[in-house]
Amino acid sequence: GSMRIIKDRVIWISMSAVAGIEAFRLIITPDSVKMINRLNKTYFVGDYQLINELLKTPFDFDMIQALTLGNDFSYYENNIFKIVEDANVYRISTPGRKKLKNYVANSTDMNKVLVQDMWISPLTWKIIRQQIKEISKENSKLLIDYSEFKALGDQMLGHQVDITVEAEQKMKVGVNYEKVTFDEEITVPFVIPESFEPMNTQKK
């Protein structure tokens, strides 16, 4: 597949099946999530409920963008960190991290409190692991590991990203960035064909 990001505005993902035929197309903006499933000719247009149900963690655009690139969240509190040394790396913990009031989109965001741990390499000062869970969900957490760091301009980017969801149903996803470019003009085409039906996202 391929991914395109316009910083702070759009994340666009296209996933292909056998023979390079597109299977899914996803576009994420700060206030919406849209997806086309070409395999069964359905589409989804809505908020972050689809992603939150899949990963069992309350996400917003800033979080998804940061986790994709191996960065910390931009719009969350920075004054409650606890730092310890853990196996020759630095572990930064937050007992309860909240979104900054200036960036709260709605009243439900105020009730979302995250327990977040970050492991940082003292050699590159990059995040090599993140663990995130909602404070109200004891048995659900998200683990993301970053490895295979390569230079990208004056930055370092982990080209291997391994995602583990630990909940009632466990899930593992591995992502390998084969080619990465930046500071280029890109397009993010997204059109829902008229023949496609709305996706059924209701729980059975």
Side-chain angles (χ1 to χ4, degrees):
S2 62
M3 177 188 300
R4 303 172 186 176
I5 299 176
I6 302 175
K7 188 175 184 293
D8 298 332
R9 290 172 53 194
V10 177
I11 298 174
W12 179 97
I13 299 172
S14 173
M15 299 295 294
S16 299
V18 180
I21 299 173
E22 186 179 60
F24 302 93
R25 183 172 294 192
L26 177 69
I27 190 165
I28 305 170
T29 67
D31 57 6
S32 69
V33 175
K34 301 176 183 178
M35 186 175 76
I36 298 171
N37 183 340
R38 298 193 187 279
L39 299 179
N40 59 20
K41 296 185 177 181
T42 60
Y43 70 89
F44 171 86
V45 175
D47 55 21
Y48 282 77
Q49 178 184 354
L50 182 70
I51 296 175
N52 294 343
E53 285 294 327
L54 181 66
L55 299 179
K56 306 302 180 185
T57 306
F59 278 109
D60 57 32
F61 182 87
D62 175 57
M63 294 172 68
I64 294 173
Q65 179 177 252
L67 293 173
T68 300
L69 300 175
N71 295 327
D72 186 25
F73 308 147
S74 299
Y75 306 134
Y76 285 74
E77 296 173 333
N78 288 328
N79 58 350
I80 52 174
F81 291 137
K82 177 182 177 182
I83 304 175
V84 297
E85 195 168 349
D86 182 3
N88 297 321
V89 299
Y90 296 111
R91 180 177 179 177
I92 297 178
S93 303
T94 64
R97 198 176 188 193
K98 297 180 181 180
K99 196 171 186 180
L100 295 171
K101 290 184 179 180
N102 292 345
Y103 298 98
V104 170
N106 52 60
S107 59
T108 58
D109 282 357
M110 292 295 296
N111 300 323
K112 294 175 181 176
V113 182
L114 303 175
V115 177
Q116 182 185 10
D117 293 281
M118 293 177 284
W119 286 259
I120 298 177
S121 166
L123 299 177
T124 61
W125 300 111
K126 294 294 296 184
I127 297 171
I128 59 174
R129 166 175 269 206
Q130 295 219 50
Q131 176 178 284
I132 301 163
K133 61 182 179 180
E134 193 174 358
I135 202 166
S136 61
K137 296 180 180 178
E138 291 290 332
N139 299 321
S140 299
K141 64 182 178 181
L142 176 71
L143 289 167
I144 305 180
D145 291 285
Y146 306 92
S147 58
E148 303 295 331
F149 283 86
K150 299 178 183 178
L152 184 64
D154 58 354
Q155 305 179 55
M156 298 289 289
L157 178 70
H159 280 54
Q160 180 67 39
V161 182
D162 294 297
I163 304 166
T164 303
V165 177
E166 295 187 1
E168 292 181 4
Q169 291 185 335
K170 294 186 177 182
M171 179 177 69
K172 288 189 176 184
V173 178
V175 178
N176 179 264
Y177 297 134
E178 292 186 355
K179 180 182 178 183
V180 182
T181 61
F182 69 106
D183 287 345
E184 295 183 356
E185 292 291 331
I186 60 173
T187 59
V188 286
F190 189 90
V191 177
I192 301 174
E194 292 184 0
S195 60
F196 281 28
E197 298 290 334
M199 187 182 301
N200 182 8
T201 59
Q202 298 295 321
K203 293 183 178 179
K204 294 183 179 180

